[in-house]
Amino acid sequence: MLLALDDAISTAVLAGRGANADVFGVIDLTSKLETRIGAISLGHAIQFVANASVLGYDVRGAIVLYGLPGTPSLRKWDCDRLWAQYGGALIQP
């Protein structure tokens, strides 16, 4: 069942990778303030969350919101898995 859920999420994310997304729960480690990342594509949001720790952000509590209300949000581990699995395909038009 969990594998089917992962496949459904992957399929939905790939189909909607160009949709608008907002990222909440990102902490800038320099200023110690929450930084809202918005108005970016879903694919770029996944890329950002998966790689943000290298850029000086704490994203352990990050949530990526996209799609219609009720669409499952993505957490850090979802973004890590999706970026590892699909990489650059997520940011292709």
Side-chain angles (χ1 to χ4, degrees):
M1 179 66 177
L2 185 57
L3 184 57
L5 181 59
D6 283 347
D7 288 344
I9 290 171
S10 296
T11 301
V13 165
L14 282 173
R17 65 185 178 259
N20 289 336
D22 293 300
V23 183
F24 297 94
V26 175
I27 306 296
D28 181 333
L29 294 175
T30 303
S31 67
K32 306 290 189 235
L33 297 173
E34 183 173 359
T35 303
R36 182 170 175 262
I37 311 296
I40 62 174
S41 71
L42 176 57
H44 282 97
I46 292 168
Q47 178 190 30
F48 174 79
V49 172
N51 297 304
S53 61
V54 177
L55 302 171
Y57 295 98
D58 178 354
V59 290
R60 290 175 290 178
I63 297 174
V64 177
L65 300 177
Y66 68 100
L68 299 173
T71 302
S73 59
L74 301 174
R75 302 296 301 234
K76 166 75 169 129
W77 57 87
D78 297 316
C79 294
D80 290 342
R81 181 184 59 79
L82 289 163
W83 186 250
Q85 188 172 3
Y86 299 107
L90 291 169
I91 56 175
Q92 297 299 317

